[in-house]
Amino acid sequence: MQIFDRDTIAAISTAVVNSGISIIRISGDDAFSIADKIFRGKTKVKDMKSHTVAYGKIVSAEEEVIDEVLLIKMDGPKTYTREDTVEINCHGGVVVTNKVFHETVKAGARVAEPGEFTKRAFLNGRIDLSQAEAVMDLISAQTDAARRIAISHIEGRLSRAVKEVKDRIANVSAEIEYHIEFNDDDMEQSVIDRLILTLEECESSIKRIMDTYDTGKVHREGVNVLIAGRPNTGKSSLLNELLGSDRAIVTDIPGTTRDIIQDYANIKGVFVNLSDSAGIRDTQDIIEKIGIEKSYGAAEKADLILYMADVRSEWNEDDKEFFEKFNDKKILVILNKIDLASEEKVKEGSAVIEKETGRKPVAVSLKSGQGINLLYEKLEELLLPGKLDTKNQTVVTNVRHKNILETAYQYVKDSIRGLKENTPVDLVTIDLNGAVYRLGLLTGETASDDIIDRIFANFCVGK
Amino acid sequence: MTYIAGEYDVIVIGAGHAGCEAALAAARMGCSTVVFVMNMDRIANLPCNPSIGGTGKGHLVREIDALGGQMAKTADKAMIQCKMLNTSKGPAVYSLRSQIDRDKYRQEMKLVLEKQENLDIRQHEIVEILFDTDENQEKCVKGVVTNLGTVYYGKCIVVCTGTYLRSRIIIGDTVYDGGPDGEFPAARLSACLVKNGLKLLRFKTGTPARVNKRTIDFSELTEQPGDDRVVPFSFENEELEIDQISCWLTHTNEKTHQIIRENLHRSPLYSGVIEGKGPRYCPSIEDKIVKFPDKDRHHIFIEPMGRNTYEMYLAGMSSSLPEDVQVRMARTVKGLENVKFTRCGYAIEYDCFDPLQLKPSLEFKNVKGLFSAGQSNGTSGYEEAAAQGLIAGINSALKLQGREPLVIDRSQGYIGVLIDDLVTKGVSEPYRMMTSRAEYRLLLRQDNADMRLTEIGWKVGLVGDERYQAFCHKKEMIAQEIARVKKTTVPPSKEVNDLLISYNSTPISSGFKLEDLIKRPELDYFKLEPIDPGRQQLPYAVQEQVSIAIKYEGYIVKQLMQAEQFKKLENRKIPENIDYGKVEGIRIEARDILSKVRPVSLGQASRISGVNPADIAVLQIYLEQTRRRPKEEKSEQDD
Ligand SMILES: Nc1nc2c(ncn2[C@@H]2O[C@H](COP(=O)(O)OP(=O)(O)OP(=O)(O)O)[C@@H](O)[C@H]2O)c(=O)[nH]1
Ligand SMILES: [Mg+2]
């Protein structure tokens, strides 16, 4: 276990959802040098006057521009944490902010633990004792949260995948340690070659896990919810309702939405990645056809589908086809426009849908607001953690995890290079143990005794 | 009437490897010291293998020497073979191992003790420790009682009882009370310790048979000679001239294994006679065959017990099977067909302390002035024992001088790793030093033990001024030579490129930094001597430091950074009187463990299993709160 006291930390410090501006805060001895690695402004951050603002661009390591930002520089101790602090105000929305944040981490900042800024503020004498109680609460809450996360579905899968690789690397390390501690002979080249092979497999395993983070940027954060249904049923209207803004164009022309429209919503406290899609129907229009194909693709990846139906139209072949394809998915059917139909008709429509799909629809009118509360309740229930089966989905959902995996990946790469270049094995173990330690942060196990136990379990030692 | 035979600053119980170092350190630091031994002819005995050093252990011997201890110097005197292990595996794990003439070692060490000023040696069994309460009403030590009822008073007591406490010897179905190597056990002291609230564990270890050299057929064995270059353990010995004696290698075979398997029911390990916890790294031959049934043979190293003896040690054949089985299985081994035993292998069971009762100074938390070192703390090995003995001896002296205890941390030495592991994690089997236990292995090399520790030894008062001056001079030479190398550029001359090509190294086409050439995997500082005209004649030890420092700079810097982070938490001390019941927000599980171990720093707390990072964060804030509270309350009153 290792706890860093004075390293530089970073966090996104405004609520990410639906706010125009997000602030990324960096605090610690290296705050300025880290900022200088990613910020391109008129002057270098380290040369800026304290408590001034600069306009500039955030760039990636390849100098590709990610966002235009305002950056505030503050010399310690006149800051919240009493450490050197940089604040980056991003305007580009959630995805871009996440990207910028990721760059700060790549440049050397560590993702802050919950409450860590306040903790530092306290330890550095910035805030008083009464506030410290609150910090303690935060930290203990973190333990609870960690426990909850650990049992959640997504994290469970990550942890299983990572544990497998970690075990293999630890076994390689144990084998080398066995040769160091208990075997006077030189290590044979054939043994080294075998270890390299194993490590190369571990390298690609980590890469595969890591890459799940990048597949489909849409899936980066939160639960993926797709709105689908036939044209003109009110899908875009629902998107706008859930976002609380006029994000999508709504007209009475069927086939208005031609492409996936994606944005983030906070539904009853759950962070949702919400997509609206083109209405599905048999059509000759090439553009619309492509849009519909995309709808199907998105449905494939969705954790939850909200399927819209117009109360006035019959359940037709297009609807049936959709349910044939995606019947094993979590789908909530919404029967819309009930303001335009009699109660009788609504009941009748509901019955048909229940018979056809095995699912009880929620009847609403997005126009009059009828049934909307019920819809939200239903959604809240469905979005509860653990309720959604997210198979085939992103394993790595969190930038901190991604960051840890990247470091571990680098360590494994270095260890392979070391073995290939005949670097003495005692040095190679520094990289191997680095990788094992990092991966242990994800699985929650870190113990140096682990390697020693493996030596005794796997090898016959002793005089 | 009780006979009060003396009054000492420091009393050391036992004169094995821990006891000798403890007694010498205390006496050399000016304390009047007495050391008790059950048999004067068994001072510093090597009851198991006739060898000192090895992986991790060689590092410890080097460190003992760097701090001003004795083991390395005596080992150099008694060395009959030298081997540097792991030379192909990297500088961090180069490990010095020697074969030792054990009679010579005993004699030499006895003589050192006898000559030492301030030190008395007495042949007595100690049967009781006398306790008292000090002016703060805390339990403290007062003295010891010998088997004759004689009393010795002492201000500090260092327990170095090795495997003698209530020890039992087990050979097959024969069990008797006995100490190691044919000695008597110390049967009575345990009861006194338990009565006084000290917690004891029961451990087990074992040793193989000794045989007569005359009955071995060497023509069948592989010779294992020593290295050409003999490297001394002590930094004070630049060179050693010794006439080396070889060891011999042979193997067990299917017949051996069959005999063992057929007689497993007669093994006390499997019949349940042995209760003590044995070490995994030193399994008996029967253990190896049960645990690794697929291995068709196991190494047996035959090691000489000394120059003036025909006895040889069968390394790898440790066993507690009955005598007849031991002999029969030995005779299945190539070269040993007609072997005759001189001594049987045996298992030994003994009492030791639960080391969680100790502070990092090796003083008991609950008894002032009581220290323990060596196998009595649940370790195994001569070197581990000596290292602890040295620290316990130093700390008893420092305590009497009213100075802060010496604690070597994990980034400074294997001694630090060893003691921290003991007092932080406790032991579940006899603890052996291994290089993989050290997080900062590349910093803790055997070659630089003096760089790490000699200054500390000097400050403590064990390293003399003369040696310290020599050390400072060496340090200076290293620094200057590194600076020179870093400034040196090598021209792309024919001579240079010829040399590079001869090592399969890419030739250079323009001026190249010497430093960068040294860093190439196929080259090093020594190999480049012919193309480095500015180089002066420097002692080998200096050149070695320069070579390693430059060649592995990248990795060394990595580890230095990790070590620096580590130190930050080590430096956050936890007050001795902390009440964990008052630390809100810490988990109950962690609270219990912390109250038991009572770590001295946040760093130590973070290494206790069962304490997680969140607990440490909470604790850290609590400490800051209590540190500040009196101040803030005061300033409120002032307002
Ligand atoms: N009366 C009534 N009209 C509605 C309701 N919901 C949506 N509408 C109208 O239905 C029409 C279609 O709505 P959209 O949200 O664009 O439908 P869509 O499913 O996105 O349509 P496409 O993008 O063409 O597939 C618009 O004119 C909406 O104003 C409702 O509950 N009641
Ligand atoms: Mg639409």
Side-chain angles (χ1 to χ4, degrees):
Chain A
M1 186 169 72
Q2 229 162 328
I3 296 153
F4 299 114
D5 251 9
R6 299 276 311 176
D7 53 348
T8 298
I9 51 173
I12 303 179
S13 58
T14 27
V16 191
V17 180
N18 283 342
S19 67
I21 302 174
S22 333
I23 298 171
I24 291 168
R25 218 196 258 165
I26 313 171
S27 172
D29 293 348
D30 300 328
F32 301 152
S33 64
I34 288 171
D36 271 326
K37 284 191 199 158
I38 58 168
F39 178 76
R40 299 287 171 266
K42 239 195 195 131
T43 53
K44 289 206 150 199
V45 177
K46 76 170 165 41
D47 299 328
M48 281 169 64
K49 271 217 197 103
S50 184
H51 292 79
T52 59
V53 181
Y55 165 81
K57 296 187 169 91
I58 298 293
V59 296
S60 69
E62 295 77 36
E63 291 291 324
E64 158 205 356
V65 175
I66 294 169
D67 196 10
E68 295 180 9
V69 301
L70 290 177
L71 181 146
I72 305 165
K73 175 200 176 163
M74 288 170 282
D75 288 340
K78 277 166 71 184
T79 62
Y80 181 62
T81 55
R82 294 213 161 166
E83 299 172 335
D84 289 348
T85 300
V86 169
E87 284 184 6
I88 303 173
N89 292 11
C90 308
H91 304 81
V94 183
V95 175
V96 172
T97 303
N98 273 337
K99 266 194 176 169
V100 173
F101 182 54
H102 196 204
E103 290 304 324
T104 62
V105 172
K106 276 212 286 206
R110 174 169 62 76
V111 181
E113 303 289 342
E116 198 167 4
F117 281 89
T118 314
K119 179 181 152 194
R120 286 188 177 201
F122 172 74
L123 289 176
N124 295 330
R126 175 72 168 64
I127 55 174
D128 67 21
L129 285 172
S130 58
Q131 283 171 276
E133 313 288 339
V135 185
M136 294 243 223
D137 286 349
L138 250 174
I139 295 169
S140 5
Q142 174 201 343
T143 331
D144 282 351
R147 204 173 301 132
R148 248 183 287 125
I149 286 171
I151 53 174
S152 92
H153 203 84
I154 307 175
E155 299 283 336
R157 212 145 32 83
L158 169 67
S159 145
R160 265 198 306 282
V162 171
K163 190 173 179 328
E164 227 179 274
V165 195
K166 196 201 90 172
D167 278 348
R168 297 191 72 186
I169 301 172
N171 283 337
V172 170
S173 186
E175 182 155 357
I176 294 178
E177 296 295 352
Y178 157 72
H179 282 278
I180 290 174
E181 307 285 353
F182 296 107
N183 198 335
D184 295 354
D185 305 330
D186 294 347
M187 280 181 80
E188 280 169 33
Q189 191 55 44
S190 64
V191 173
I192 303 255
D193 289 344
R194 176 167 52 75
L195 297 182
I196 291 175
L197 222 64
T198 308
L199 287 174
E200 279 171 346
E201 282 165 24
C202 294
E203 181 190 11
S204 41
S205 299
I206 299 178
K207 179 112 179 37
R208 231 176 299 131
I209 301 171
M210 230 160 70
D211 283 352
T212 64
Y213 184 82
D214 280 329
T215 49
K217 292 189 181 71
V218 187
H219 303 280
R220 181 152 298 174
E221 301 275 356
V223 182
N224 297 304
V225 176
L226 175 78
I227 306 172
R230 278 161 50 200
N232 213 35
T233 48
K235 298 183 296 299
S236 301
S237 306
L238 178 62
L239 178 87
N240 290 346
E241 162 66 32
L242 293 176
L243 290 177
S245 69
D246 285 339
R247 177 77 172 76
I249 299 166
V250 172
T251 72
D252 54 2
I253 308 161
T256 303
T257 309
R258 297 277 177 115
D259 202 349
I260 305 278
I261 299 174
Q262 182 264 324
D263 211 332
Y264 293 88
N266 180 348
I267 303 178
K268 297 278 178 182
V270 180
F271 190 44
V272 167
N273 176 6
L274 193 62
S275 307
D276 179 19
S277 60
I280 37 183
R281 62 169 167 186
D282 211 3
T283 174
Q284 298 307 312
D285 184 320
I286 300 253
I287 298 174
E288 199 179 345
K289 244 188 167 159
I290 295 171
I292 292 169
E293 247 152 53
K294 277 197 179 174
S295 301
Y296 279 140
E300 199 77 64
K301 289 180 197 146
D303 303 317
L304 172 65
I305 298 168
L306 306 179
Y307 194 84
M308 299 288 289
D310 189 327
V311 70
R312 297 166 303 171
S313 47
E314 300 296 312
W315 195 257
N316 74 5
E317 288 307 312
D318 294 328
D319 295 312
K320 284 182 185 161
E321 193 188 329
F322 187 88
F323 273 86
E324 257 164 46
K325 267 204 165 85
F326 301 109
N327 197 30
D328 52 351
K329 285 256 168 195
K330 265 251 150 70
I331 305 178
L332 174 66
V333 189
I334 301 167
L335 191 58
N336 189 25
K337 306 196 188 179
I338 56 171
D339 56 305
L340 301 177
S342 65
E343 232 171 90
E344 202 85 327
K345 181 91 184 144
V346 173
K347 266 197 185 141
E348 198 180 293
S350 296
V352 171
I353 290 173
E354 201 173 340
K355 187 171 144 271
E356 288 282 345
T357 68
R359 293 166 170 90
K360 207 179 163 72
V362 204
V364 300
S365 164
L366 290 169
K367 193 154 228 168
S368 71
Q370 227 181 313
I372 295 276
N373 282 342
L374 191 72
L375 173 63
Y376 273 110
E377 273 169 36
K378 206 72 199 158
L379 280 173
E380 185 179 12
E381 197 180 298
L382 283 167
L383 290 171
L384 267 181
K387 277 278 168 118
L388 292 173
D389 181 13
T390 47
K391 66 169 180 283
N392 305 326
Q393 285 300 315
T394 315
V395 175
V396 185
T397 53
N398 160 320
V399 62
R400 182 176 153 261
H401 294 172
K402 160 114 169 155
N403 180 222
I404 290 171
L405 284 166
E406 273 169 352
T407 330
Y409 180 69
Q410 195 53 47
Y411 273 125
V412 175
K413 265 183 117 74
D414 288 350
S415 69
I416 294 170
R417 205 194 50 220
L419 285 177
K420 286 189 173 162
E421 285 178 357
N422 291 323
T423 305
V425 287
D426 64 340
L427 303 179
V428 175
T429 60
I430 295 177
D431 290 324
L432 289 175
N433 294 339
V436 171
Y437 170 73
R438 294 281 140 183
L439 296 175
L441 292 177
L442 291 183
T443 59
E445 334 146 86
T446 44
S448 61
D449 293 345
D450 176 47
I451 300 281
I452 289 166
D453 289 339
R454 281 170 203 272
I455 300 178
F456 294 131
N458 300 345
F459 301 98
C460 181
V461 303
K463 301 248 153 108
Chain B
M1 215 198 88
T2 9
Y3 169 41
I4 295 166
E7 215 168 302
Y8 289 89
D9 290 333
V10 178
I11 294 174
V12 179
I13 306 175
H17 303 285
C20 288
E21 294 292 347
L24 288 169
R28 287 167 177 170
M29 287 171 72
C31 300
S32 67
T33 306
V34 60
V35 57
F36 291 97
V37 60
M38 306 225 317
N39 179 349
M40 280 299 281
D41 299 322
R42 284 289 185 276
I43 288 175
N45 191 25
L46 293 90
C48 199
N49 54 338
S51 160
I52 285 179
T55 319
K57 292 165 173 275
H59 293 71
L60 283 173
V61 181
R62 282 293 178 107
E63 291 182 1
I64 290 167
D65 187 67
L67 281 170
Q70 184 60 39
M71 181 175 246
K73 293 191 179 73
T74 307
D76 284 349
K77 285 221 161 99
M79 196 186 287
I80 53 178
Q81 192 200 89
C82 168
K83 248 189 160 152
M84 187 64 87
L85 306 175
N86 285 338
T87 46
S88 69
K89 295 169 198 162
V93 297
Y94 281 22
S95 302
L96 194 53
R97 186 182 63 201
S98 65
Q99 297 304 135
I100 294 290
D101 181 327
R102 71 169 199 155
D103 290 337
K104 172 106 170 145
Y105 190 88
R106 279 199 306 243
Q107 282 167 9
E108 289 291 342
M109 192 59 99
K110 179 162 173 258
L111 189 60
V112 171
L113 259 58
E114 287 163 345
K115 284 186 181 166
Q116 179 61 48
E117 233 173 282
N118 296 333
L119 179 61
D120 293 337
I121 317 169
R122 295 306 314 267
Q123 175 170 300
H124 278 307
E125 178 189 347
I126 297 302
V127 296
E128 206 182 316
I129 291 178
L130 300 171
F131 296 89
D132 205 350
T133 45
D134 66 8
E135 62 279 7
N136 303 322
Q137 297 309 306
E138 288 180 283
K139 191 166 191 160
C140 64
V141 296
K142 188 176 171 194
V144 295
V145 182
T146 73
N147 50 341
L148 304 180
T150 309
V151 170
Y152 289 78
Y153 288 130
K155 296 175 190 143
C156 284
I157 296 176
V158 188
V159 180
C160 303
T161 48
T163 60
Y164 281 80
L165 287 187
R166 227 162 49 87
S167 51
R168 289 202 305 172
I169 300 294
I170 303 138
I171 303 169
D173 37 25
T174 307
V175 181
Y176 59 90
D177 292 342
D181 209 9
E183 293 298 300
F184 287 105
R188 291 160 66 186
L189 188 56
S190 289
C192 160
L193 298 170
V194 171
K195 204 177 76 202
N196 280 282
L198 298 169
K199 189 179 166 208
L200 298 181
L201 306 172
R202 192 105 177 124
F203 275 7
K204 172 228 133 182
T205 185
T207 195
R210 313 301 131 95
V211 300
N212 190 316
K213 177 177 167 182
R214 197 165 43 79
T215 60
I216 298 173
D217 178 1
F218 287 95
S219 65
E220 298 284 343
L221 308 183
T222 319
E223 187 168 0
Q224 305 271 300
D227 290 350
D228 294 339
R229 195 177 109 79
V230 175
V231 181
F233 277 114
S234 173
F235 288 96
E236 289 191 275
N237 294 334
E238 265 194 34
E239 260 171 33
L240 267 190
E241 277 286 338
I242 55 171
D243 185 10
Q244 298 195 63
I245 302 179
S246 291
C247 295
W248 300 84
L249 173 64
T250 180
H251 296 94
T252 62
N253 54 48
E254 191 39 51
K255 260 196 242 143
T256 329
H257 300 185
Q258 197 186 332
I259 291 178
I260 292 169
R261 274 194 293 267
E262 281 167 2
N263 287 285
L264 269 184
H265 62 283
R266 298 178 65 196
S267 157
L269 275 178
Y270 295 91
S271 66
V273 174
I274 292 185
E275 303 152 15
K277 279 285 261 176
R280 286 176 297 177
Y281 48 82
C282 192
S284 61
I285 183 78
E286 47 270 31
D287 256 349
K288 289 190 222 177
I289 276 139
V290 170
K291 271 175 64 187
F292 296 92
D294 296 341
K295 277 202 86 167
D296 52 9
R297 63 178 209 174
H298 296 273
H299 285 308
I300 294 174
F301 290 98
I302 304 178
E303 305 175 8
M305 298 278 284
R307 265 186 218 290
N308 299 313
T309 174
Y310 260 40
E311 268 198 303
M312 297 198 89
Y313 173 92
L314 297 185
M317 283 282 255
S318 172
S319 176
S320 54
L321 284 164
E323 186 181 13
D324 60 304
V325 184
Q326 287 192 32
V327 173
R328 261 196 294 148
M329 71 186 190
R331 290 189 178 158
T332 60
V333 174
K334 230 186 206 168
L336 301 181
E337 292 83 355
N338 300 306
V339 81
K340 290 209 172 136
F341 278 25
T342 54
R343 312 178 200 208
C344 237
Y346 62 85
I348 180 167
E349 239 183 25
Y350 55 97
D351 289 342
C352 60
F353 292 114
D354 178 348
L356 288 178
Q357 299 168 102
L358 301 169
K359 300 184 207 174
S361 62
L362 295 179
E363 185 179 15
F364 279 81
K365 289 168 195 161
N366 294 330
V367 186
K368 307 284 161 231
L370 184 65
F371 293 79
S372 175
Q375 266 172 305
S376 54
N377 285 343
T379 60
S380 88
Y382 315 138
E383 305 81 356
E384 288 86 344
Q388 293 169 69
L390 177 64
I391 297 297
I394 289 174
N395 281 330
S396 54
L398 288 174
K399 187 181 174 83
L400 295 175
Q401 295 168 1
R403 292 162 69 192
E404 283 293 303
L406 171 65
V407 176
I408 310 284
D409 76 39
R410 300 182 76 91
S411 69
Q412 290 174 312
Y414 278 85
I415 297 179
V417 175
L418 164 70
I419 294 176
D420 183 64
D421 278 348
L422 291 177
V423 305
T424 306
K425 297 179 183 157
V427 287
S428 56
E429 66 180 330
Y431 179 103
R432 178 201 200 266
M433 197 68 250
M434 289 192 259
T435 65
S436 40
R437 296 192 194 271
E439 296 84 347
Y440 315 109
R441 182 157 74 181
L442 186 56
L443 305 180
L444 308 186
R445 303 187 310 273
Q446 55 92 32
D447 61 80
N448 71 354
D450 57 340
M451 295 294 129
R452 295 181 274 122
L453 298 171
T454 292
E455 181 151 8
I456 295 175
W458 177 68
K459 282 190 180 143
V460 157
L462 262 188
V463 169
D465 288 341
E466 197 180 320
R467 176 168 181 192
Y468 180 63
Q469 292 310 328
F471 158 76
C472 291
H473 180 58
K474 176 178 172 189
K475 213 167 132 181
E476 185 58 35
M477 282 192 283
I478 295 166
Q480 279 177 5
E481 178 63 357
I482 290 175
R484 185 194 68 81
V485 169
K486 290 204 170 222
K487 278 193 310 225
T488 304
T489 307
V490 178
S493 66
K494 179 166 184 316
E495 186 204 352
V496 167
N497 280 333
D498 284 350
L499 184 100
L500 293 182
I501 290 163
S502 76
Y503 287 113
N504 274 328
S505 197
T506 321
I508 56 178
S509 54
S510 61
F512 212 85
K513 283 165 97 179
L514 177 60
E515 177 187 1
D516 290 337
L517 283 181
I518 293 174
K519 287 195 168 105
R520 288 187 175 180
E522 63 280 5
L523 301 173
D524 63 31
Y525 174 83
F526 295 98
K527 288 178 181 162
L528 294 171
E529 212 233 297
I531 57 165
D532 183 14
R535 191 179 297 188
Q536 288 185 349
Q537 260 302 331
L538 291 167
Y540 179 83
V542 171
Q543 298 186 46
E544 189 183 24
Q545 290 306 303
V546 173
S547 184
I548 293 172
I550 292 177
K551 189 156 182 59
Y552 304 111
E553 192 178 16
Y555 284 99
I556 292 174
V557 167
K558 251 193 219 178
Q559 289 236 301
L560 277 173
M561 267 157 50
Q562 291 168 352
E564 213 171 286
Q565 290 290 355
F566 154 84
K567 290 233 183 197
K568 283 175 186 161
L569 275 189
E570 285 318 282
N571 291 336
R572 300 221 179 199
K573 298 294 177 217
I574 302 175
E576 225 171 292
N577 58 4
I578 185 173
D579 178 358
Y580 287 101
K582 289 202 178 128
V583 187
E584 273 168 54
I586 217 163
R587 291 166 316 122
I588 294 174
E589 185 202 350
R591 184 176 294 171
D592 290 348
I593 304 170
L594 286 165
S595 323
K596 185 178 172 206
V597 179
R598 308 199 65 77
V600 296
S601 67
L602 275 181
Q604 192 192 352
S606 72
R607 288 188 293 277
I608 301 172
S609 60
V611 176
N612 69 28
D615 298 324
I616 297 298
V618 170
L619 189 56
Q620 188 178 1
I621 287 173
Y622 175 82
L623 292 178
E624 179 64 18
Q625 253 178 324
T626 43
R627 195 182 64 80
R628 251 197 258 166
R629 184 161 280 139
K631 256 191 274 165
E632 287 194 13
E633 274 166 10
K634 195 158 164 284
S635 67
E636 270 162 32
Q637 281 167 10
D638 293 348
D639 289 344

